[in-house]
Amino acid sequence: MTETDHRPSPKAPLATTARTFFISGFGTALEFYDFIIYGLAAAIVFPAVFFPSFDRTVGTLVAFAAFGSGFVARPLGGIVIGHFGDRIGRKAMLVLTLLIMGGSTFLIGCLPAYDTVGVAAPVMLVALRLVQGFAAGGEWGGASLFGIENAPEDRRGLWGSFTSAGIGIGSLFGTGAFTLVTLLPEEALQAWAWRVPFWLGGLLVLVGVVARSRMPHEERRTDRAPRVPILAAVKRHPRQMLLAIGVAFGYNTLAYIGTIFTVTYAEERGYTSTESLLLQVAGSVAFTIAVPAMALLSDRRGRKPVVITGTLAYAAFFFVYFPLVDGHVLVLATLAYVLVNVLMAAPQACIPAFLGEQFSAATRYSSISATYQTGAALGGGTAATAATALFIAYDNDPIGVGLYSGVAALVLVLCAWGLRETFRVPTAHLGTDTVAGTVATPARARPVGIRSQSRHPRADQRASQIAYP
């Protein structure tokens, strides 16, 4: 099987760092903005607007369950959109995912409340969440690959992390938007103000669509791609796919506890909605700054050391995080949120490149999308709900949430350990087999991104002479 080439046509402009960040990172920022505002609304507003028949804590649990419903559609979206991403190219799929995401987000802001249409309101909410999830299933993988496949050889970690930085930026804008609306009176917040961030998100997506519509055109060679890329990937890379699902499960569990459950936790401990959101803003800023630093470290030292060390530190720190927040000293609480996000940035910064580098070009979009989104559905889709349920079961003691985080971290570490270390493998050889201790080079294999050579030829020469298990 030959590799599918996703390089632009010869007349297309070369990708630059800023251009790639805008297409990859900013698009993901808009996508994650949509997700974060839903998660925050589920914690702050939706229990009263869509689930008023429950008490506050149980209503929050049900709202998080509705939030998790969007994750059910993510693996399907990853498979379907990934299929066409491998068959016809990245560009069309990346534009499509943003259009679907923006439209469903805008419509959520238009939904009537439970008091107006009864049970139809939460039903429509869940339906739109499923549409959001389907689009998100294909968004992350394609955006990550656009950075990885166009990066210089020794900067794949950094360029792949543009999507991770986009998550931080989207979280920052989403949290900031909700912070502003919570400054309004409670009656206004529940009546109409909560809708404004959703409307804004639907309109902002148009900016990302314009940017992606100007992406360099790819050579479309569908005759060289597998007929069903996901089946070819399962046949060729079964071990990598299972381990990648485990990595995604562990990380998404930790990430959604750290970004969504912590909003509820701060409010349960007596912080106002505005204070809780300001803590999230501080964490988002720290995350966005830490991501490129962690990614660069993985380009120098390897993906595994950064992922594993950061994950273990993150899980351990959760047992310190809760007492710091419980102390009701705003400076210490802010420090807790900052450190949680810095440690969370370690695995997240590396995961796009680490997972993408495990698979060959012909099936890479399908592989990274299906594995990551399956793990996200199993982990992220249940994390906030499970954490809230454990919090209730342990009579508002966070020890259960801490232990749950520890289990997720263990799964992430073990699965990351089982994957190949790939940070020095040339792009053209990613996903190939090894023969007698050397990298097996397919006859027609070549770099699949816009840039076919690194800016550092000596690094390329060294990399091509080294064999990696």
Side-chain angles (χ1 to χ4, degrees), residues 158-179:
L158 176 62
W159 284 40
S161 75
F162 291 161
T163 56
S164 302
I167 289 174
I169 294 171
S171 177
L172 177 62
F173 282 121
T175 306
F178 242 92
T179 301

Side-chain angles (χ1 to χ4, degrees), residues 324-378:
L324 287 176
V325 174
D326 291 347
H328 285 274
V329 178
L330 195 57
V331 173
L332 294 179
T334 303
L335 177 64
Y337 275 76
V338 166
L339 290 177
V340 159
N341 280 272
V342 168
L343 295 174
M344 184 165 57
Q348 175 59 60
C350 305
I351 282 175
F354 191 32
L355 297 189
E357 289 168 347
Q358 303 297 320
F359 306 106
S360 55
T363 63
R364 189 172 291 143
Y365 201 148
S366 296
S367 300
I368 190 175
S369 296
T371 55
Y372 186 84
Q373 300 306 337
T374 299
L378 296 173

Side-chain angles (χ1 to χ4, degrees), residues 114-344:
Y114 184 92
D115 292 341
T116 303
V117 297
V119 72
V123 169
M124 289 187 288
L125 178 66
V126 172
L128 288 173
R129 279 291 298 143
L130 291 172
V131 175
Q132 274 190 328
F134 180 87
E139 159 65 29
W140 180 86
S144 298
L145 293 184
F146 184 79
I148 297 165
E149 293 176 343
N150 296 311
E153 292 286 354
D154 61 345
R155 288 292 182 269
R156 288 198 306 261
L158 176 62
W159 284 40
S161 75
F162 291 161
T163 56
S164 302
I167 289 174
I169 294 171
S171 177
L172 177 62
F173 282 121
T175 306
F178 242 92
T179 301
L180 291 177
V181 298
T182 59
L183 297 176
L184 296 171
E186 185 71 18
E187 295 78 10
L189 175 64
Q190 295 192 9
W192 60 269
W194 68 267
R195 303 177 185 274
V196 175
F198 287 90
W199 293 336
L200 180 61
L203 295 175
L204 284 176
V205 163
L206 297 177
V207 179
V209 169
V210 171
R212 288 183 172 179
S213 66
R214 297 178 179 176
M215 286 170 58
H217 290 285
E218 301 160 305
E219 295 180 5
R220 297 179 177 180
R221 300 183 179 180
T222 58
D223 58 318
R224 301 179 64 186
R227 182 178 297 274
V228 184
I230 187 63
L231 295 181
V234 170
K235 182 178 180 180
R236 186 173 184 182
H237 308 289
R239 180 173 174 273
Q240 290 95 323
M241 294 195 75
L242 287 174
L243 292 173
I245 290 172
V247 168
F249 166 83
Y251 172 73
N252 278 276
T253 300
L254 295 174
Y256 279 90
I257 291 174
T259 57
I260 301 301
F261 171 76
T262 52
V263 176
T264 300
Y265 184 78
E267 291 188 14
E268 289 293 331
R269 289 306 195 236
Y271 293 84
T272 66
S273 296
T274 301
E275 288 174 336
S276 175
L277 291 175
L278 286 173
L279 291 172
Q280 290 287 346
V281 168
S284 296
V285 171
F287 180 88
T288 305
I289 295 172
V291 159
M294 297 295 182
L296 279 172
L297 184 61
S298 79
D299 281 328
R300 292 174 177 267
R301 301 297 182 185
R303 317 292 185 221
K304 285 187 181 183
V306 180
V307 170
I308 292 173
T309 303
T311 299
L312 292 175
Y314 179 94
F317 182 74
F318 248 115
F319 293 94
V320 179
Y321 161 84
F322 293 116
L324 287 176
V325 174
D326 291 347
H328 285 274
V329 178
L330 195 57
V331 173
L332 294 179
T334 303
L335 177 64
Y337 275 76
V338 166
L339 290 177
V340 159
N341 280 272
V342 168
L343 295 174
M344 184 165 57

Side-chain angles (χ1 to χ4, degrees), residues 10-50:
K11 295 181 180 180
L14 293 177
T16 63
T17 303
R19 181 188 180 97
T20 303
F21 176 81
F22 191 75
I23 292 172
S24 179
F26 187 64
T28 304
L30 294 174
E31 179 256 328
F32 202 76
Y33 168 93
D34 296 338
F35 262 72
I36 201 71
I37 59 174
Y38 184 98
L40 294 174
I44 297 171
V45 179
F46 285 176
V49 174
F50 291 102

Side-chain angles (χ1 to χ4, degrees), residues 440-463:
T441 307
R444 297 185 183 181
R446 55 184 175 176
V448 297
I450 293 174
R451 293 186 182 271
S452 60
Q453 294 181 352
S454 169
R455 293 179 180 175
H456 304 275
R458 293 182 180 177
D460 292 347
Q461 184 178 7
R462 289 196 303 270

